[in-house]
Amino acid sequence: MATPKTPAPVTPDALTVPRKEAPEAKTNLIGLTRPALREALIAVGVPEKQAKMRVGQVWQWLYHWGVRDFDAMTNLSKAFRATLAENFVIALPEVVTRQVSEDGTRKYLVRIAGGHEVEVVYIPEEGRGTLCVSSQVGCTLTCSFCHTGTQKLVRNLTAAEIVGQVMLARDDLDEWPEPGTGTGDAGPRLLSNIVLMGMGEPLYNFENVRDAMKIVMDGEGIALGRRRITLSTSGVVPEIARTAQEIGCLLAVSFHATTDAVRDVLVPINKRWNIEALLEALREYPKATNSERITFEYVMLNGVNDTDEDAHRLVKLLDGIPAKVNLIPFNEWPGSAYTRSSNNRIRAFATILMQAGYASPIRTPRGEDIMAACGQLKSATERARKSRAQIAAEAGL
Ligand code: SAH
Ligand code: SF4
């Protein structure tokens, strides 16, 4: 009797990764750190003695000139270009949709391997521009006021997918210098700052975020200084010291409450590392990075965390920490349980902080008409899924 064949196990990847990529998957050069790029080049035959020079050349093409085609790398021999093309690709995530807000904010929906999607937001300002970058698809944390936290699907982005967001925004802004035009460093940058405040908790994807930021900071490429990058965390305490040592960028922390009881509800990671533990880690940060102030983000939720007492308690908690407080008017999303504090309430809260000596700007929501404001990000397919469920519920199905 014939034995029935055991079906091959089906992994999630087998379902989601397009089959044609599997057999001869070439290494993507984007997202490799300098040491990793060196290894990759040596593995395809670059002699060790030449490796440093080759890394420098390829690096410049990728990250200074923004070139995507090996044939355009004109200072490399034809043979070497052919070797590169045989073994590597230069691949960015794919922009699926691009929306432009009335206020000039741009939101990109970006598709990454496996068909997942993340959102990236570009915010133009006078003389500068900030890119809000995502670090994960969705987020495993479930802050009760955040739209991203309601997304079921979660995966870490690779370093390539994180750097790729910066590169595709520069593509869209047409900000790469033209090869052969001197250093190409003229004028103020359109994309001058990065905030890791998109989807996801960057400190739950530490290595990839670190490698991506190292690439972005590298002086021979995109060259954004470490003080132009702000990483926002909900408070992953053990990774804060590591951020100081291994990235050295500016730090923002989603504080949002002045008692553990309230913070436990708003930012549930507080149950693991409470306010006291968080503040202890934050005290060390400016010393370790020789940097300025930490930004305390504080979302203003009507009747939840916005009283004068909260403001006074916040002042006490901040004692001894070089800090500024960023007050964020709550951005509503479909189904959210909170409302935004009134402008008067926010101003009164800010006044108490200012009188205590803390800069406390009120963040102007940007791109609200395209759902690009803080905490509104969630992939379009996830939204569609939710609205289909809502439609079914409304129809009594
Ligand atoms: N996971 C990281 C970074 C992404 S969130 C973090 O939590 O810090 C970026 C900022 O937007 C955080 O301060 C977050 O608390 C805030 N935020 C989330 N949802 C919001 C909303 N609906 N309105 C206003 N701010 C929100
Ligand atoms: Fe995640 Fe940050 Fe949203 Fe919390 S606020 S759910 S940590 S993305």
Side-chain angles (χ1 to χ4, degrees):
M1 210 176 84
T3 4
K5 267 194 197 155
T6 321
V10 180
T11 63
D13 272 355
L15 295 172
T16 49
V17 176
R19 214 175 266 173
K20 62 178 171 25
E21 282 180 21
E24 16 101 39
K26 298 179 184 178
T27 304
N28 189 4
L29 289 183
I30 303 299
L32 299 183
T33 56
R34 277 184 186 264
L37 179 57
R38 181 191 152 87
E39 290 309 312
L41 294 184
I42 289 172
V44 299
V46 170
E48 294 230 2
K49 275 191 185 155
Q50 288 180 17
K52 190 169 179 212
M53 177 190 66
R54 293 291 181 223
V55 167
Q57 288 171 322
V58 172
W59 190 275
Q60 272 215 335
W61 285 117
L62 296 177
Y63 299 118
H64 182 76
W65 304 112
V67 156
R68 304 292 148 73
D69 180 356
F70 293 112
D71 273 338
M73 301 184 175
T74 46
N75 61 351
L76 306 179
S77 71
K78 268 207 166 147
F80 184 44
R81 281 186 250 159
T83 306
L84 290 175
E86 257 164 49
N87 293 284
F88 302 112
V89 289
I90 304 168
L92 300 192
E94 177 199 350
V95 178
V96 184
T97 59
R98 168 183 176 279
Q99 287 170 277
V100 183
S101 157
E102 288 160 6
D103 69 12
T105 300
R106 302 180 188 197
K107 182 169 87 171
Y108 311 98
L109 177 69
V110 166
R111 187 173 297 143
I112 56 174
H116 304 301
E117 290 166 349
V118 290
E119 292 183 331
V120 190
V121 177
Y122 172 72
I123 306 150
E125 289 160 289
E126 196 64 39
R128 55 183 254 161
T130 301
L131 192 72
C132 183
V133 169
S134 290
S135 56
Q136 297 183 306
V137 177
C139 186
T140 50
L141 299 170
T142 51
C143 302
S144 51
F145 55 90
C146 174
H147 204 201
T148 310
T150 65
Q151 184 165 331
K152 299 275 178 310
L153 204 64
V154 180
R155 102 146 154 79
N156 279 343
L157 298 191
T158 62
E161 290 160 349
I162 299 170
V163 178
Q165 295 172 54
V166 179
M167 298 176 75
L168 63 86
R170 294 196 92 192
D171 288 354
D172 188 45
L173 296 166
D174 199 12
E175 202 176 23
W176 297 105
E178 199 59 43
T181 54
T183 63
D185 279 336
R189 295 252 198 133
L190 295 172
L191 199 172
S192 60
N193 292 70
I194 291 177
V195 291
L196 283 149
M197 294 187 187
M199 297 164 70
E201 168 49 59
L203 296 189
Y204 273 176
N205 186 15
F206 187 89
E207 279 87 4
N208 291 338
V209 166
R210 176 199 57 203
D211 289 352
M213 292 306 112
K214 283 238 157 85
I215 293 169
V216 164
M217 291 188 281
D218 190 292
E220 280 170 43
I222 298 167
L224 288 175
R226 66 187 184 90
R227 289 187 171 82
R228 293 186 172 274
I229 299 172
T230 303
L231 182 151
S232 175
T233 180
S234 57
V236 185
V237 165
E239 305 291 352
I240 289 178
R242 224 177 142 200
T243 306
Q245 283 152 15
E246 298 181 33
I247 309 177
C249 59
L250 301 183
L251 189 70
V253 61
S254 293
F255 209 64
H256 305 323
T258 60
T259 64
D260 280 325
V262 175
R263 196 162 192 270
D264 280 353
V265 175
L266 297 181
V267 190
I269 200 177
N270 194 68
K271 293 186 217 156
R272 182 108 183 255
W273 295 289
N274 67 10
I275 291 180
E276 196 189 324
L278 177 58
L279 290 174
E280 203 175 305
L282 295 178
R283 260 187 212 104
E284 297 306 313
Y285 195 88
K287 292 179 221 158
T289 50
N290 189 21
S291 77
E292 324 51 33
R293 299 168 297 179
I294 291 175
T295 301
F296 282 70
E297 295 162 283
Y298 199 97
V299 63
M300 296 300 289
L301 302 170
N302 185 24
V304 175
N305 62 355
D306 62 351
T307 63
D308 285 357
E309 291 70 45
D310 279 304
H312 289 297
R313 262 197 303 270
L314 184 55
V315 167
K316 283 216 181 85
L317 291 170
L318 295 182
D319 191 35
I321 303 177
K324 80 169 194 186
V325 181
N326 218 322
L327 297 176
I328 317 175
F330 174 61
N331 295 310
E332 292 183 21
W333 38 272
S336 58
Y338 301 98
T339 54
R340 180 185 289 187
S341 308
S342 71
N343 289 343
N344 282 345
R345 183 84 299 269
I346 300 178
R347 275 197 291 269
F349 198 96
T351 304
I352 295 172
L353 296 172
M354 280 186 288
Q355 280 167 351
Y358 292 102
S360 45
I362 300 166
R363 192 182 286 173
T364 320
R366 298 289 303 265
E368 280 182 298
D369 53 329
I370 55 168
M371 287 277 289
C374 286
Q376 292 186 323
L377 305 184
K378 185 164 175 172
S379 76
T381 42
E382 277 282 316
R383 267 201 289 274
R385 215 170 288 156
K386 182 165 181 188
S387 57
R388 267 201 298 278
Q390 277 166 349
I391 292 162
E394 280 161 21
L397 299 172

